[in-house]
Amino acid sequence: MTVTPDGIGRAAHDSQRVLPADVAAVLYARLRRELGSGVVLDVGAGSGVVGSQLGDRVVLTDVVDWRSVPLPFVRADAAALPFRPGCCSGVHLARVLHHVADWRAVLRETVRVLRPDGALCLSLGDRPVVDSLRELADRAVDLAQRCGLSEAPVNGPDPAGADELVAGLGLGVTEFECGGDVLVTPREVLTGVLGNPFRWLPGTDLGVVPGIVAEVLAAAGVDPDAPVSRDRTVRYRIFRAADR
């Protein structure tokens, strides 16, 4: 994959991962506890903003390096991780399985590299938000497609499908979610939606994103930089050996 996000797109995409400080503290404390104190892989880590909160021995992996944090990075296919079996106390896998060719192979790989007492922390996506910004984002995606941007294929499991596969590998599941209202601007939301390079086919030029965002916001008569309160709730499935 050769897509590299521009600075604007990456910054806006990262901003969509921000939680209120009190909520973030709860979330990351829970994830660190689950992932353990050994080596933790953040698979499909993107910028590494989330990975930087997951412990002291985090290694980022992805098919393209667009880190914005100084953490170790290994370029790797999530379906063929270059790590020995049982080397990790935890694997973090968030919003990745819908953007890989074979999500089953990715789940098997993440379980393979776990220690017997290790944990896989999996997020299949945040709770969907239906509001006026969602409608604007849909318009922006539609305009981007009419401007020639082509979305990458989206696959991936539903929660029951992921649970079934991982249960077959001997792990049981618990669930948790946390969230709260955050202040975002329409420009941030739309730029984050369009600026994610993994949304589009490899080779897509993201330099057109700011113009598309500006056109959609102007047509809607929306102040692009006026903060709007929006729900942000993250959901995780925690997989561990069923007897633990």
Side-chain angles (χ1 to χ4, degrees), residues 104-118:
R104 295 174 178 83
V106 172
L107 284 179
R108 293 189 187 101
E109 274 293 272
T110 59
V111 174
R112 179 186 67 81
V113 300
L114 282 178
R115 301 187 323 206
D117 62 344

Side-chain angles (χ1 to χ4, degrees), residues 156-200:
D158 58 17
D163 292 355
E164 181 179 7
L165 187 145
V166 179
L169 300 173
L171 278 65
V173 62
T174 57
E175 303 174 58
F176 83 93
E177 68 174 40
C178 58
D181 290 337
V182 297
L183 289 176
V184 297
T185 69
R187 192 194 306 276
E188 285 176 333
V189 170
L190 270 61
T191 306
V193 168
L194 298 186
N196 180 357
F198 302 107
R199 184 183 194 104
W200 310 105

